Amino acid sequence: MTVVTRTADARLNELFDRMCAAWTAGDAAAYGACFTEDSDYVSYDSTHARGRKDMVDNHDRLFRGVLSGSALVGRVESTRYLSPDVALLHATGSVLMPWRAHLPKRRLSRQTLVAVKEDGAWRIAALHNGRVRPVGIPEPGSMPSRMSRAMTAVARALGIGHHLGER
């Protein structure tokens, strides 16, 4: 177990808040300063920016275009230290468009962030953003589960589909 002080938690929350504030200010350079040079950034639509420069360029266009005047709102839900200089954060948040007073539920996203300490300062090395769209897991006896098993049996009987991992 890695033991760290509450000060580290506060600094990681400050990093997240600084990232949100830079977005809200429409400042792509300040937003990028929250990330490492070699960061990985996966957007909610699975767009993958490799490196700070690509991510900053993308956000600059967004802040001057479709996300002009938007605010990034959210909070860190949990922090887990993988080592004294590496932390895994889970956060929820969303982009609040300027014409909205409240977040629509369908716009809520969950972020997984990996933060690393560089020269005594925390920066984000990786961020993966995905929409919160919980999909329930059907019970084994439910109609969707029974239909899936029936279709699998038919496909195998006809010799179609993949044959990987047959049981």
Side-chain angles (χ1 to χ4, degrees), residues 57-74:
D57 290 347
N58 291 344
H59 282 83
D60 179 58
R61 287 194 319 274
L62 290 167
F63 295 159
R64 291 183 297 115
V66 296
L67 296 178
S68 177
S70 66
L72 182 60
V73 297

Side-chain angles (χ1 to χ4, degrees), residues 76-136:
V76 174
E77 292 182 332
S78 66
T79 303
R80 185 174 120 209
Y81 294 91
L82 306 178
S83 77
D85 295 335
V86 179
L88 176 68
L89 292 84
H90 286 104
T92 53
S94 185
V95 174
L96 181 61
M97 297 307 290
W99 57 85
R100 294 195 183 276
H102 306 285
L103 289 175
K105 190 174 181 177
R106 65 181 173 73
R107 302 263 325 189
L108 187 63
S109 293
R110 179 159 288 116
Q111 299 82 36
T112 301
L113 304 98
V114 177
V116 297
K117 199 182 289 187
E118 291 184 333
D119 301 321
W122 287 100
R123 285 197 173 64
I124 301 163
L127 181 148
H128 187 209
N129 185 28
R131 288 280 196 245
V132 175
R133 302 258 198 284
V135 176

Side-chain angles (χ1 to χ4, degrees), residues 15 28-41 48-60 116 118-119 121-126:
L15 171 63
Y31 188 75
C34 297
F35 294 81
T36 63
E37 280 293 330
D38 62 348
S39 60
D40 282 283
Y41 192 104
H48 187 181
R50 290 175 173 89
R52 182 189 296 160
K53 182 185 179 325
D54 286 347
M55 189 267 299
V56 168
D57 290 347
N58 291 344
H59 282 83
D60 179 58
V116 297
E118 291 184 333
D119 301 321
W122 287 100
R123 285 197 173 64
I124 301 163

